[in-house]
Amino acid sequence: MKPAIEFRKPMLVRYARFRWDAVHEQHQIVFPEGVLVLNEAGAAIVRLCDGRSTDDLITSLEEQFKSGTWAEHVCNFFDRLAKKGLLHDAADG
Amino acid sequence: MPQTANPYSLLAELTYRCPLQCPYCSNPLKLHEYSKELDIATWKRVLAEAADLGVVQVHFSGGEPLLRRDLIDVVREARHVDLYTHLSTSGIPSDDVKWQQLRDAGLDALQISLQDSCPESSDWLAGVPSFEKKLRVLKTVKRLRFPVTLNVVLHRHNLENIGDLIELARQLDVEKLELAHVQYKGWAFRNRAVLLPSHAQIEQAAETVAQARERLGDRPEIVHVLPDYFQQFPKACLNGWGRVFLTVAPDGAVLPCQTAREIPGLNFPNVQTASLEEIWFHDSVFQRFRGTGWMPEPCRSCDRREIDYGGCRCQAFLLTGDLAATDPVCHLSPDHHLIDAAVSDATRESVSLQYRMFTT
């Protein structure tokens, strides 16, 4: 499996859902038999997994947060999600 | 006691009816006492209340949820209130149309049971011919692109087929294979003497799983839940009583756990007379074992009290008669000898299973 940073179109897999839980007051990725709780950084990243490329995603985050340290965050986060089977490269079909 | 957190997961047992008769079923022995089922209007209200309470995931189960004619409507309603939906099922009875309808209604994930790796044994354990049908269902749902967990309950009679079960899961290309050693509650407790494996079988099973993981990587993901009778410490049953999970039974009883019903003397609340919110936060059964204040020694002073919460209440009751006792599977429990005795007494002789059915 290629490293997630090389994904051209990083997206959540079909059976994983990103949501805001108003009761527990947290962002979540919900998947079969599991809930992954996201912090603000994770939520910001997943919100942008809408079909844009990884490079565009990192650029958007750097603009949004006026900070240049997102590449490493995204790389680590994507690897974690890919390892759990929650993220894939939609460009691979 | 710190404030009670909101739950995450609802087990919705839609019916206790089932076409199979597995002798390890965790449903109550007195199935006939709970045969009046909730109607769909009530289930819709329960689902909406669950979502408002913070529940994220619902597992439709039973018995066999496919026997509910209104299952599609129930699933649709669950999706409508933003619950992530699972169906825990034998796959029987169903046809291709039913699975397509479930997909269209928004069913998210499937857990399909299999009793063993070959038809003769699987059908014997289920009490009815079922293996071939299950395989057909597994192919249909794969075609419909459901994420699938194949669930196999392990015990003495199929433990040595773990290698074949893993291979079958690989061929079927399921996402996950859950190999869960039977828990001795409900019908499994009644059949315990003929279900308990030996230490050697357990060790061999663990070895087979380890080798398969190395060979296969993540596909399927293999979950191997070891039997607590053979371990040093108890499981954190449900992540603790009334912390994360709740069950609504077919007649509307609300339970902290699906097997709590066999504990006499507990007055379970019912969705027909109270809201889920009232029940979760205020009902005395739910409050009874929250936190650590109720614990006896050795749990009360133990470092693990907030790791395993004293183990399983149902198991403590079944084995000692005391609902509040330390779970005897814990090697620190004063009743641990009961576990040792059960393991060594488990009969090695010919097998007579008591099949799960409505007339007792």
Side-chain angles (χ1 to χ4, degrees):
Chain A
M1 194 175 68
K2 61 184 168 183
I5 200 71
E6 289 175 22
F7 286 1
R8 286 167 291 156
K9 271 194 176 191
M11 292 187 79
L12 291 185
V13 297
R14 184 176 31 87
Y15 49 80
R17 274 209 291 284
F18 171 63
R19 68 190 290 269
W20 167 251
D21 183 329
V23 175
H24 294 97
E25 291 185 322
Q26 56 191 207
H27 287 102
Q28 300 165 342
I29 296 176
V30 190
F31 55 96
E33 298 169 86
V35 179
L36 187 67
V37 179
L38 302 179
N39 60 19
E40 285 303 322
I45 295 170
V46 173
R47 241 182 243 116
L48 296 177
C49 291
D50 53 8
R52 71 186 74 192
S53 71
T54 304
D55 282 343
D56 287 349
L57 191 148
I58 291 170
T59 306
S60 302
L61 287 164
E62 288 172 347
E63 279 168 15
Q64 186 182 344
F65 292 96
K66 313 274 186 279
S67 140
T69 56
W70 282 93
E72 199 185 331
H73 284 319
V74 169
C75 182
N76 293 335
F77 186 57
F78 274 8
D79 274 341
R80 278 185 64 205
L81 290 185
K83 201 154 180 242
K84 289 175 107 69
L86 300 178
L87 189 80
H88 71 151
D89 189 343
D92 285 345
Chain B
M1 178 155 48
Q3 198 189 349
T4 303
N6 290 64
Y8 275 88
S9 185
L10 169 67
L11 179 66
E13 295 180 320
L14 300 177
T15 176
Y16 281 147
R17 291 172 287 139
C18 187
L20 273 55
Q21 300 175 325
C22 310
Y24 49 75
C25 184
S26 59
N27 283 169
L29 295 172
K30 297 186 176 154
L31 296 163
H32 54 280
E33 288 187 7
Y34 313 109
S35 54
K36 186 154 188 347
E37 296 176 7
L38 296 179
D39 62 18
I40 180 128
T42 309
W43 273 114
K44 286 184 178 182
R45 174 174 63 79
V46 168
L47 292 168
E49 287 179 3
D52 287 344
L53 197 50
V55 168
V56 177
Q57 299 187 321
V58 59
H59 292 251
F60 293 113
S61 180
E64 176 49 67
L66 286 170
L67 286 175
R68 282 285 297 226
R69 293 208 192 117
D70 48 15
L71 177 63
I72 309 265
D73 294 323
V74 173
V75 167
R76 192 178 292 119
E77 183 66 20
R79 279 296 288 120
H80 177 65
V81 295
D82 195 28
L83 293 168
Y84 193 95
T85 56
H86 303 75
L87 188 69
S88 278
T89 176
S90 66
I92 298 165
S94 67
D95 58 18
D96 287 7
V97 171
K98 174 64 54 102
W99 295 109
Q100 182 65 61
Q101 288 173 329
L102 284 166
R103 175 95 262 192
D104 294 342
L107 183 62
D108 289 309
L110 284 170
Q111 289 156 281
I112 298 185
S113 70
L114 196 64
Q115 281 58 47
D116 207 339
S117 56
C118 68
E120 297 75 28
S121 178
S122 192
D123 292 349
W124 171 67
L125 286 163
V128 297
S130 43
F131 181 87
E132 297 299 345
K133 172 68 179 185
K134 285 167 181 268
L135 252 53
R136 282 202 299 278
V137 168
L138 283 158
K139 291 182 179 126
T140 298
V141 299
K142 170 92 190 147
R143 215 174 46 240
L144 290 171
R145 303 177 73 215
F146 278 105
V148 174
T149 298
L150 188 61
N151 276 9
V152 184
V153 173
L154 295 177
H155 46 76
R156 183 193 311 167
H157 305 286
N158 59 9
L159 203 41
E160 280 156 28
N161 298 332
I162 278 195
D164 292 337
L165 287 161
I166 293 172
E167 174 56 20
L168 186 53
R170 190 195 65 77
Q171 284 171 14
L172 292 164
D173 198 25
V174 296
E175 278 75 11
K176 189 156 126 178
L177 171 63
E178 179 158 326
L179 299 165
H181 285 254
V182 63
Q183 295 191 279
Y184 299 100
K185 325 231 183 113
W187 293 79
F189 189 68
R190 183 171 273 199
N191 286 302
R192 187 178 67 176
V194 293
L195 291 172
L196 270 170
S198 65
H199 284 277
Q201 279 182 310
I202 305 274
E203 277 162 23
Q204 180 58 56
E207 177 63 31
T208 305
V209 170
Q211 285 170 3
R213 279 185 183 133
E214 225 184 275
R215 190 167 35 92
L216 297 172
D218 285 335
R219 185 85 182 191
E221 180 191 344
I222 303 173
V223 173
H224 186 203
V225 183
L226 289 166
D228 55 7
Y229 269 48
F230 292 83
Q231 304 205 279
Q232 241 199 345
F233 293 114
K235 299 189 198 300
C237 196
L238 309 164
N239 273 85
W241 182 277
R243 288 182 80 246
V244 173
F245 293 96
L246 74 166
T247 295
V248 176
D251 63 333
V254 188
L255 317 170
C257 99
Q258 72 206 85
T259 55
R261 202 138 218 186
E262 49 189 334
I263 302 169
L266 284 182
N267 213 2
F268 294 106
N270 195 297
V271 297
Q272 292 172 100
T273 49
S275 73
L276 278 190
E277 185 179 9
E278 283 160 18
I279 291 169
W280 178 259
F281 287 112
H282 304 296
D283 181 80
S284 58
V285 171
F286 275 79
Q287 289 286 71
R288 181 105 177 251
F289 298 110
R290 280 191 172 129
T292 56
W294 61 271
M295 290 180 179
E297 297 295 358
C299 304
R300 185 180 280 247
S301 320
C302 183
D303 286 344
R304 291 182 56 91
R305 67 182 175 276
E306 291 193 33
I307 297 173
D308 59 36
Y309 306 98
C312 174
R313 301 298 89 230
C314 302
Q315 192 146 261
F317 172 74
L318 279 174
L319 292 168
T320 74
D322 177 4
L323 188 48
T326 301
D327 187 339
V329 306
C330 184
H331 74 290
L332 300 172
S333 157
D335 301 304
H336 188 66
H337 59 276
L338 296 171
I339 299 291
D340 293 334
V343 170
S344 58
D345 288 350
T347 178
R348 303 280 146 211
E349 289 173 13
S350 74
V351 174
S352 172
L353 295 168
Q354 183 153 23
Y355 284 105
R356 171 217 197 272
M357 51 187 73
F358 262 76
T359 51
T360 53

